[in-house]
Amino acid sequence: MRLSGLSAVLACSALCTTAGFLSWAEKAHAQTHQREQTHVLHAAKGKKASAHRKNIAAVATPQREPVSSVPAVTEQKTGNETVKIEPASAYTPEHVTVTAHLDRARSELQPDTGATVYRFSRKSLETIPGGDNAPLNQVLLQAPGVAQDSYGQIHVRGDHNEVQFRLDGVQLPEGLSVFGQALMTRFADNMSLTTGALPSEFGFLQAAVVDITTKNGTTNAGGNVSVYGGARDYFFPSLQYGGHSGKWDYFATADFVHDRVGIENTTGSFNAIHDLSNQYHFLGHARYTADENTRISFIAGVSNAEYQLPNNPGQQTQFAEPSYNGSSLAQNLGGSVDSASLSEHQKQITDFAVLALQKEIGKFSLQSSVFTRYSSLRYSPDPLGDLVYNGIAQRAARSVFSTGTQHDVTWHAARNHTVRFGFQVFVERTTSKTDSQVFNQTGEDDDGSPVFDPAPISIHDGSGKTGTVYGLYAQDEWKPVKNLTVNYGLRFDGVSQYTSQMQVSPRLNVVWTPWKGGTLHAGYSRYFTPPPFEVVSSTSLYKFANTSAAPANYQNSTVRAERDHYFDAGLQQQILPGWRVSFDAYYKLAHNLIDEGQFGAPIILSGFNYRRGQVNGYEVSTSYDHGPLSLYGNFGWSRAIGKDVTSAQFNFDPDDLNYIKGRWVHLDHDQRWTASAGASYTLFQKSWHPLRVSGTMVYGSGLRTDGATPNGVALPQYATFNFSAVQTFKNLFGHTFLGDTQIRLDVTNLFDRTYMLRDGGGIGVGAPQYGLRRTILTGISQNF
């Protein structure tokens, strides 16, 4: 009830704020331009038809022209600009849809001045092996400085999971998905990954910003049905459809995934044991363009995934002691002692919705949105096996419900000054419930080892908390001279959850273009990162005292917000048409650096702080795109270290805590060398049946594991290669209502390299994980 009240207040305040600003801006605009409007009205008399043809409203009907003079589909994109022309029959006027200025205004609300940006066009998304069927995290691995981890996690520039996702510029609240993908690649028309010293409009999660420009019915009219599958019971049907009618356009996509590669294999074998997964996804988008200056958008998504947790054969039982002989527990262990026969499951659900208003009034551009997201995770143990191997069989459920509002305004104040300001507020409610079976400690043996009662006992634990995260910003993009841009601003952030903190953060970026094709940039950003509400542990530790699940210690200091000084500098040079090379270097000095780890059998991440942290590195990137040939390559070096764990200490061994207290250690996700590369070539590009072949490579020098010291050793390096071939047939069936037909062949890990992502050791690492062995998949898709 409390969260519902806060949500209602938040929504009302957002609407009132937006309405008040629009009223003031419209009044000011009307007064400022009254003479110009009057002049235009008089000049328009007798020229109504001509004026309508020149108007850039959402829908216009020009005079009929021969169909042959209009291309089948004409699209132009500059930034997020979208223009599409569809021909009609010889006797029906063409339907022209133009939303260029609204798309351009939306992209200008969130500039990337001074930051490092890697863009994925629709062409590049389709070229990656798997295309629209590829998970989003696999796509992002093609960007520089992105390292892969288990459970579908990615790490950008040495940070853990501090990646924020935006849909059409609206930030989604963080969810609980660990190895599920709530967002689908096929929903993206294009997207970008922005990192470095971010301008002040980006807050909260700041390792990287993934902004997805969604497909819509104007640029993606018609439908597509696809069936994709192959090895390991992989079956992946999907459907998408979009269209427009009058001032409305809409787009929706849905799919179902069934396979036996839901979570990384715990061994290097070709097939994992107990690794079935079923996933359902839906994403939909509807837009109403009221006039050339007003647009309302609604986006909704649903993701439901169920996973079997892979087993690791040959593990040593921890609690099947000789004293249990003859007990009921010992009798039930027959056939269940082997860790290969365990049956653990996890279910993840993510639902979200975004309602956004975009408005232009004279020199002002506004995007105002309200959004909500529900995310839940449930872990079901093997009731007997988890007790034998872990000393605890815990049924765990965690959920977070988030709602909030975001407002971004651009004001073209003067010829050389563009002012931007806005704010964000999230209200979140998280709940956690566990039902555990543990052994009660009855004493100690002669060696001082604990002795447990063979009859398990039950312990219930639950908690819930409501909190808020808020931020507001203002910045000015100033161009003192033609080839120099200075972007400076302030951001104020606060958090009131398990911790209450706030900070004022200055930001400064400078971009200089000293010669043709060359760009230099440098920036400084002060960051404030609230701890992810959903990963803060609230376990009642003393409930597990004197049991087989007793913590190593009872310290549980509150996880606090991370505060950073972030420096970034780089250059980019256009060498030849289509050939670009860039270099970037960065350094982050952190206080209360936030890290996350998996502690225990449930695959639920828990957050903690290092009192001090340092992350630094550099990246080199190049790309070439000309005609049928596309090439790219990325290389990065990074170092991420931390000292002194200051929160959630109960998850750590006391010896490790003492060692880390006075010494720097590598973070568990620190990977020194990271690289990616790709190439594609389209044969018969101008024919009716083009064939595209492509390949990608991902290299990693290895994440960290324990050696003589915590996280003291790097795992072995690896390099994997993927291959794809896509054959397109235009109008294969000879029907006007059918479009292109595509058949594809994708091979993941072409050379069947066995490589390890995790070995089960290291800070906050629960089990070993290996990369996917060679997997051959095929598919067919049909447009209509």
Side-chain angles (χ1 to χ4, degrees):
M1 294 299 292
R2 181 183 177 186
L3 182 59
S4 299
L6 286 172
S7 302
V9 171
L10 187 61
C12 290
S13 65
L15 292 175
C16 291
T17 301
T18 303
F21 176 81
L22 292 177
S23 177
W24 171 82
E26 286 182 336
K27 183 178 179 180
H29 179 56
Q31 292 175 349
T32 304
H33 297 279
Q34 184 175 6
R35 291 184 178 179
E36 289 82 351
Q37 290 175 341
T38 303
H39 175 73
V40 170
L41 287 173
H42 284 293
K45 290 183 178 180
K47 302 178 181 179
K48 184 176 180 180
S50 175
H52 275 290
R53 284 194 298 270
K54 295 180 180 178
N55 198 347
I56 57 172
V59 178
T61 306
Q63 292 183 349
R64 185 174 60 220
E65 295 181 5
V67 175
S68 59
S69 67
V70 182
V73 175
T74 301
E75 296 188 23
Q76 179 181 357
K77 296 180 181 177
T78 305
N80 288 336
E81 179 177 337
T82 302
V83 178
K84 183 174 180 181
I85 300 176
E86 294 180 345
S89 67
Y91 301 100
T92 305
E94 294 120 4
H95 184 73
V96 183
T97 302
V98 182
T99 58
H101 67 298
L102 284 174
D103 290 336
R104 187 165 52 248
R106 183 176 61 197
S107 67
E108 290 177 352
L109 287 168
Q110 297 167 109
D112 46 48
T113 307
T116 301
V117 186
Y118 193 90
R119 304 187 189 279
F120 296 87
S121 65
R122 170 89 318 241
K123 177 183 175 182
S124 63
L125 292 175
E126 294 173 349
T127 300
I128 292 173
D132 281 345
N133 304 297
L136 197 59
N137 63 316
Q138 293 298 317
V139 175
L140 296 173
L141 286 177
Q142 307 307 315
V146 180
Q148 68 172 328
D149 200 348
S150 54
Y151 311 135
Q153 299 176 86
I154 60 171
H155 307 294
V156 182
R157 292 191 170 187
D159 275 293
H160 198 268
N161 274 334
E162 296 177 9
V163 178
Q164 65 170 273
F165 290 88
R166 294 189 171 210
L167 293 177
D168 294 334
V170 179
Q171 182 179 348
L172 295 178
E174 185 72 358
L176 278 166
S177 296
V178 177
F179 37 74
Q181 296 291 332
L183 300 175
M184 296 130 50
T185 303
R186 64 171 35 85
F187 195 55
D189 184 69
N190 61 82
M191 67 181 187
S192 64
L193 184 146
T194 305
T195 187
L198 301 178
S200 61
E201 70 264 29
F202 298 109
F204 307 142
L205 301 173
Q206 293 148 132
V209 178
V210 178
D211 194 356
I212 299 174
T213 300
T214 60
K215 293 180 179 178
N216 57 71
T218 302
T219 57
N220 295 271
N224 177 274
V225 61
S226 169
V227 178
Y228 187 64
R232 297 182 180 82
D233 294 346
Y234 200 95
F235 178 60
F236 188 177
S238 65
L239 174 67
Q240 69 178 42
Y241 188 79
H244 57 81
S245 177
K247 295 183 178 183
W248 287 92
D249 70 69
Y250 50 88
F251 181 84
T253 179
D255 63 45
F256 166 69
V257 184
H258 170 89
D259 59 33
R260 295 188 180 277
V261 291
I263 308 175
E264 287 84 358
N265 196 345
T266 56
T267 71
S269 61
F270 195 79
N271 292 307
I273 302 173
H274 194 258
D275 198 14
L276 180 68
S277 72
N278 290 304
Q279 305 173 46
Y280 309 83
H281 306 99
F282 168 82
L283 280 168
H285 187 182
R287 297 194 313 185
Y288 177 74
T289 305
D291 54 48
E292 67 270 24
N293 296 318
T294 308
R295 182 165 61 188
I296 300 173
S297 302
F298 178 74
I299 304 175
V302 175
S303 174
N304 191 318
E306 297 182 6
Y307 300 90
Q308 293 178 341
L309 271 61
N311 292 328
N312 192 8
Q315 297 301 296
Q316 177 65 44
T317 58
Q318 301 297 317
F319 294 91
E321 299 181 3
S323 60
Y324 296 169
N325 291 336
S327 68
S328 59
L329 176 63
Q331 296 172 7
N332 290 333
L333 287 178
S336 296
V337 174
D338 186 3
S339 58
S341 62
L342 301 180
S343 181
E344 301 168 328
H345 299 79
Q346 193 153 304
K347 183 175 182 178
Q348 298 176 181
I349 296 175
T350 298
D351 305 326
F352 69 88
V354 178
L355 178 63
L357 166 67
Q358 186 183 349
K359 182 72 175 177
E360 286 190 86
I361 307 171
K363 296 182 178 181
F364 289 92
S365 296
L366 164 73
Q367 179 162 283
S368 181
S369 62
V370 291
F371 45 81
T372 185
R373 176 169 181 166
Y374 172 78
S375 180
S376 69
L377 185 153
R378 297 178 183 273
Y379 169 79
S380 300
D382 184 297
L384 190 59
D386 278 30
L387 270 172
V388 172
Y389 288 98
N390 303 319
I392 178 172
Q394 184 180 85
R395 187 175 300 274
R398 191 179 292 184
S399 66
V400 58
F401 179 80
S402 306
T403 187
T405 183
Q406 176 180 329
H407 303 263
D408 298 290
V409 180
T410 295
W411 174 30
H412 297 282
R415 186 171 61 89
N416 295 327
H417 291 272
T418 301
V419 178
R420 296 179 175 89
F421 53 92
F423 69 91
Q424 295 168 279
V425 181
F426 296 164
V427 179
E428 299 178 297
R429 173 70 179 177
T430 182
T431 59
S432 177
K433 297 179 181 179
T434 60
D435 289 291
S436 307
Q437 294 283 311
V438 297
F439 297 123
N440 198 30
Q441 182 177 347
T442 58
E444 295 181 350
D445 59 18
D446 294 338
D447 297 328
S449 299
V451 175
F452 298 99
D453 189 325
I457 62 174
S458 298
I459 296 177
H460 173 79
D461 189 20
S463 64
K465 191 172 183 61
T466 301
T468 58
V469 178
Y470 49 91
L472 62 150
Y473 70 91
Q475 65 183 27
D476 177 26
E477 184 178 306
W478 175 38
K479 297 184 177 180
V481 294
K482 183 178 180 180
N483 61 347
L484 179 65
T485 301
V486 180
N487 193 80
Y488 58 96
L490 286 174
R491 183 176 181 92
F492 173 75
D493 293 296
V495 57
S496 179
Q497 294 175 340
Y498 290 101
T499 182
S500 294
Q501 297 175 265
M502 58 187 64
Q503 176 177 290
V504 176
S505 305
R507 310 275 178 96
L508 174 65
N509 285 283
V510 178
V511 179
W512 181 35
T513 308
W515 55 78
K516 183 178 179 180
T519 303
L520 305 176
H521 73 268
Y524 164 78
S525 292
R526 179 78 163 127
Y527 287 157
F528 177 86
T529 304
F533 199 24
E534 63 281 353
V535 302
V536 177
S537 175
S538 56
T539 302
S540 300
L541 300 179
Y542 288 95
K543 288 186 176 182
F544 294 90
N546 299 316
T547 72
S548 54
N553 64 80
Y554 291 90
Q555 290 181 271
N556 190 18
S557 302
T558 302
V559 181
R560 298 179 63 79
E562 179 179 328
R563 304 174 189 266
D564 304 326
H565 296 282
Y566 196 102
F567 303 87
D568 179 271
L571 61 91
Q572 178 177 302
Q573 178 65 50
Q574 190 82 18
I575 298 178
L576 293 172
W579 184 13
R580 176 194 60 84
V581 176
S582 66
F583 172 83
D584 207 72
Y586 57 91
Y587 176 77
K588 184 177 84 168
L589 182 63
H591 178 65
N592 287 328
L593 183 145
I594 297 175
D595 200 357
E596 299 174 15
Q598 180 211 345
F599 303 96
I603 304 181
I604 301 176
L605 298 180
S606 297
F608 61 94
N609 294 112
Y610 288 98
R611 181 175 58 86
R612 295 178 60 190
Q614 292 181 17
V615 181
N616 63 289
Y618 60 85
E619 299 164 356
V620 179
S621 178
T622 185
S623 65
Y624 177 78
D625 194 349
H626 182 71
L629 177 65
S630 295
L631 303 168
Y632 71 88
N634 306 303
F635 173 81
W637 179 91
S638 176
R639 184 189 69 154
I641 56 177
K643 177 192 288 188
D644 190 10
V645 174
T646 58
S647 60
Q649 298 93 331
F650 69 94
N651 290 306
F652 297 84
D653 182 90
D655 292 337
D656 287 348
L657 282 177
N658 290 332
Y659 182 89
I660 300 170
K661 187 174 183 63
R663 298 176 178 87
W664 291 97
V665 297
H666 294 274
L667 305 187
D668 69 286
H669 55 268
D670 179 29
Q671 182 165 270
R672 190 55 50 90
W673 306 99
T674 301
S676 61
S680 71
Y681 189 84
T682 303
L683 295 88
F684 321 115
Q685 185 178 21
K686 297 181 179 180
S687 74
W688 283 78
H689 308 303
L691 171 64
R692 183 180 68 241
V693 293
S694 62
T696 60
M697 183 277 294
V698 173
Y699 168 83
S701 62
L703 303 175
R704 310 298 297 190
T705 187
D706 287 339
T709 60
N711 290 345
V713 177
L715 292 171
Q717 63 181 349
Y718 64 88
T720 59
F721 296 83
N722 308 311
F723 171 80
S724 178
V726 179
Q727 176 68 66
T728 300
F729 300 96
K730 297 182 179 180
N731 198 21
L732 178 65
F733 298 101
H735 293 285
T736 58
F737 62 90
L738 290 178
D740 294 350
T741 304
Q742 278 191 347
I743 58 174
R744 67 181 308 125
L745 168 67
D746 297 311
V747 184
T748 301
N749 197 351
L750 180 64
F751 302 110
D752 197 25
R753 172 72 183 272
T754 301
Y755 65 100
M756 184 183 295
L757 294 173
R758 296 288 191 179
D759 70 350
I763 298 173
V765 180
Q769 290 96 31
Y770 285 77
L772 185 65
R773 298 284 295 274
R774 180 166 53 218
T775 302
I776 302 175
L777 301 171
T778 61
I780 182 171
S781 66
Q782 176 64 55
N783 291 335
F784 61 91

